[in-house]
Amino acid sequence: MHNRVGRALLALSAVLALLMAGPATTAAAETIQTGASVCSMYVNSTGFGAYCSNGSAYLGPDTGEPPPTWRQRLNGRPFVPCRDFEIPKGIRLPQAPEGKKWVLRVTITDYNLDTYDGGDAAHLERAYVPVSPAEEAQCPFPPYMQPFWHEFRSSYPPPALVVKPTFTPRVNIPAYFSLTADSSRVLADRSNPGAYSGYIDPRHNLTMRALVVEMTVDPGDGTKPFKCLMGVTPLDDPDGYDETKDPNDQLNPCKHIYKRSSASQPDGMYTVKLTITWEVSYWVGKGEGGWNPIGQANVTAVQRLPVQEVQAIGG
């Protein structure tokens, strides 16, 4: 039984600075077919997202007839298979040639216009290309092509470190580290598919999530960094710390014992370096197959942490 009286999350976010370790290339990418859509998903050190073809649900009359084919939707207008997007944050690219700019060009290939979803062979190809105005005009995006595309993305929240049992660790007493629930996961709200999901129809949609699965802590006192496995924790006990037990009797292994106070350090605080590993997964349809991991990416952050000598009662 956990004692919740007077308990609060002691998030030290006021002195937490999110520091990206420079722009990074895409950590992972995957293309899947879901319902009437083909989706290309990506993960990097800034966030995650997806670009989907035919991303809008068909909202025509419910006559029992199959959805219209792509050709019928076009109604005689040309199909433009490519679309240019801004370069996702976190991607490192050299300077574009003079008079050009970098774009993420996503192209639907091997499609069949006489199907409602582009056919089984349809897939997306991604390329980072420098384009001039004339080259950019070769891939226009007329309004009638909007129903064939859907884009969504999310960035990782700034990390908010929790330290127990006290806001300021004490010398020779274990300090337990965790992240607040809000800063350790990004979950799609499936009741609002447009927020993070490519909604296709009542049976098919793409939902993505990110969870912190590992955190490496460099305590800043000259000792070696240590790794902490992370994951989904109960909402009523996000930090895994039992207030009813002594600090030396906790089950949470993510801990460090400072042997000296931080009084001699700059500003009287240790510089704690965090490496936070995010794992991104996707969920299709009603999720019978569960979450499917795409890949992982690391985010680095710095925490300034004061450590004090043990004080006597009343001190």
Side-chain angles (χ1 to χ4, degrees):
M1 182 66 68
H2 290 232
N3 181 10
R4 296 289 180 259
V5 178
R7 181 175 178 181
L9 287 178
L10 302 179
L12 306 181
S13 55
V15 291
L16 182 69
L18 177 64
L19 300 178
M20 295 301 174
T25 55
T26 301
E30 185 167 339
T31 298
I32 63 168
Q33 178 101 24
T34 172
S37 186
V38 179
C39 295
S40 177
M41 300 167 289
Y42 68 87
V43 184
N44 59 39
S45 62
T46 302
F48 61 93
Y51 305 92
C52 297
S53 68
N54 196 27
S56 300
Y58 174 62
L59 301 176
D62 186 10
T63 62
E65 298 293 326
T69 65
W70 282 13
R71 191 181 303 278
Q72 290 170 330
R73 286 192 180 192
L74 290 168
N75 195 25
R77 295 166 296 193
F79 182 74
V80 182
C82 61
R83 183 177 174 185
D84 291 344
F85 297 90
E86 293 183 358
I87 299 296
K89 294 180 179 179
I91 302 300
R92 179 191 295 115
L93 294 170
Q95 184 174 351
E98 185 176 357
K100 295 189 176 185
K101 67 176 183 180
W102 286 102
V103 298
L104 167 60
R105 178 160 290 185
V106 182
T107 305
I108 309 173
T109 63
D110 297 332
Y111 55 86
N112 181 352
L113 294 180
D114 294 313
T115 64
Y116 81 100
D117 61 359
D120 293 340
H123 62 281
L124 298 185
E125 294 183 355
R126 302 158 49 91
Y128 302 111
V129 294
V131 296
S132 64
E135 292 168 330
E136 188 175 14
Q138 295 173 359
C139 188
F141 184 57
Y144 68 83
M145 286 297 300
Q146 180 65 49
F148 292 88
W149 293 94
H150 182 77
E151 173 192 8
F152 61 99
R153 65 180 67 182
S154 179
S155 58
Y156 309 121
L161 190 66
V162 178
V163 182
K164 289 295 184 93
T166 59
F167 182 89
T168 301
R170 301 292 192 261
V171 171
N172 293 324
I173 295 178
Y176 293 86
F177 297 88
S178 62
L179 295 173
T180 64
D182 289 342
S183 70
S184 60
R185 58 186 170 187
V186 182
L187 293 174
D189 179 3
R190 289 197 295 277
S191 65
N192 180 22
Y196 294 105
S197 303
Y199 180 74
I200 310 302
D201 60 41
R203 292 170 292 105
H204 298 91
N205 68 288
L206 169 65
T207 302
M208 299 179 71
R209 78 171 183 185
L211 294 175
V212 175
V213 294
E214 184 179 275
M215 180 171 67
T216 300
V217 181
D218 182 342
D221 59 353
T223 60
K224 294 182 179 179
F226 58 94
K227 292 184 178 181
C228 303
L229 296 180
M230 312 274 289
V232 179
T233 57
L235 292 177
D236 66 341
D237 186 29
D239 54 38
Y241 189 86
D242 190 341
E243 298 279 2
T244 66
K245 293 184 178 180
D246 186 270
N248 292 294
D249 296 329
Q250 300 292 324
L251 295 178
N252 183 358
C254 189
K255 65 181 179 180
H256 180 68
I257 298 177
Y258 287 94
K259 298 298 185 180
R260 300 184 304 275
S261 77
S262 58
S264 63
Q265 300 297 310
D267 299 322
M269 294 183 287
Y270 285 117
T271 298
V272 180
K273 299 178 181 179
L274 307 175
T275 301
I276 300 166
T277 302
W278 287 89
E279 181 175 87
V280 177
S281 305
Y282 70 91
W283 179 300
V284 175
K286 296 181 179 180
E288 289 84 355
W291 291 99
N292 301 283
I294 303 170
Q296 296 182 345
N298 289 336
V299 174
T300 59
V302 170
Q303 167 76 53
R304 303 300 306 284
L305 191 65
V307 175
Q308 297 181 358
E309 299 286 353
V310 176
Q311 295 181 349
I313 296 176

